[in-house]
């Protein structure tokens, strides 16, 4: 094949990719749990009809910023007509009282929603200094480290400094965590202590080398 013919083939292929033959006809949102995928898909309908290589990434970003639950996302083109949006949602850690009401926040302090009363099933955060404090950062790290089976039992998280995190479980049990150093080890030790001696009033893992149960 001559070089001219090869060049024409390349030009033709590129041209086809940017033509309506490869226009977006379907947007699929995956990875959502709390956020309805259909709601996100509707917000992105402006990309319908756009050739896949010309999808407006800035417009997609602007649409997704409207959803506080979206922590990050990636775009995947699936020729000939599908645009897949993979979303990673923020994970709420609890609600904190603000001037606007009770605000659900993630570990980074991002406000996800606000309601006039504490919502059921969400831990109440009693954090000195609010979401910008070191105490809040520590509380967030602890909640993200907890095994799910324990995290779902937490009803209250208290901290006045980086080093005095305390959890209250639905049963009334107190978990004295202390500082965030060795948080992963503390989470393992707490899980083991609760399995070995269930129903205790206090589990103190502030010193991971010597767990105190009473």
């Amino acid at each position: 094949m001559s070089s001219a013919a090869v060049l024409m083939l390349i030009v033709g292929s590129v041209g086809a990719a940017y033509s309506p033959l490869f226009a977006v006809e379907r947007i699929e949102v995956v990875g959502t749990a709390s956020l309805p995928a259909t709601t996100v898909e509707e917000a992105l309908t402006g990309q319908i009809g756009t050739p896949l290589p010309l999808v407006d990434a800035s417009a997609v970003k602007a649409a997704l910023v409207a959803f506080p639950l979206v922590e990050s996302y990636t775009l995947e083109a699936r020729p000939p007509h599908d645009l897949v949006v993979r979303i990673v949602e923020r994970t709420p850690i609890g609600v904190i009282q603000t001037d606007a009401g009770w605000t659900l926040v993630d570990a980074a302090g991002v406000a996800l929603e606000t309601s006039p009363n504490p919502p059921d099933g969400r831990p109440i955060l009693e954090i000195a200094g609010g979401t910008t404090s070191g105490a809040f950062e520590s509380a967030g790290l602890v909640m993200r480290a907890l095994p799910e089976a324990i995290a779902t039992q937490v009803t209250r998280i208290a901290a006045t400094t980086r080093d005095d995190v305390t959890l209250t479980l639905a049963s009334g049990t107190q978990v004295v965590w202390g500082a965030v150093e060795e948080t992963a080890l503390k989470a393992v030790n707490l899980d083991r202590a609760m399995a070995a001696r269930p129903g205790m009033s206090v589990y103190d893992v502030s010193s991971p080398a010597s767990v105190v149960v009473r």
Side-chain angles (χ1 to χ4, degrees):
M1 183 181 293
S2 68
S3 58
V6 171
L7 178 60
M8 289 300 294
L9 178 61
I10 294 173
V11 171
S13 298
V14 172
Y18 284 83
S19 78
L21 292 174
F22 288 90
V24 177
E25 293 183 0
R26 188 172 75 98
I27 296 174
E28 180 184 4
V29 172
V30 298
T32 59
S34 301
L35 185 63
T38 53
T39 302
V40 181
E41 290 165 2
E42 289 171 3
L44 298 174
T45 54
Q47 300 306 312
I48 298 293
T50 303
L52 284 168
L54 298 180
V55 166
D56 189 338
S58 295
V60 171
K61 179 179 180 179
L64 294 181
V65 163
F67 300 98
L69 273 171
V70 176
E71 181 171 18
S72 63
Y73 68 90
T74 57
L75 302 179
E76 177 187 340
R78 287 185 180 172
H81 300 299
D82 288 358
L83 176 65
V84 179
V85 184
R86 300 187 180 278
I87 286 177
V88 176
E89 290 186 346
R90 296 185 182 277
T91 303
I93 62 167
V95 292
I96 191 166
Q97 193 167 25
T98 65
D99 292 339
W102 291 90
T103 300
L104 183 67
V105 294
D106 74 346
V110 175
L112 306 180
E113 60 182 57
T114 299
S115 57
N117 299 305
D120 293 336
R122 298 294 189 183
I124 292 176
L125 305 173
E126 296 180 346
I127 309 295
T131 57
T132 60
S133 66
F136 179 86
E137 181 182 358
S138 292
L141 290 171
V142 171
M143 282 300 293
R144 290 177 69 93
L146 287 176
E148 184 177 0
I150 298 176
T152 56
Q153 300 179 51
V154 177
T155 59
R156 192 175 301 271
I157 310 162
T160 59
T161 70
R162 290 179 179 272
D163 303 324
D164 67 348
V165 178
T166 300
L167 312 175
T168 302
L169 307 187
S171 62
T173 295
Q174 298 286 310
V175 177
V176 180
W177 200 275
V180 293
E181 282 74 22
E182 299 186 276
T183 280
L185 178 58
K186 290 179 180 181
V188 171
N189 288 348
L190 175 62
D191 192 29
R192 289 174 177 170
M194 290 181 67
R197 300 185 64 183
M200 305 301 290
S201 59
V202 175
Y203 296 91
D204 186 338
V205 296
S206 56
S207 176
S210 179
V211 178
V212 176
V213 178
R214 59 179 186 273

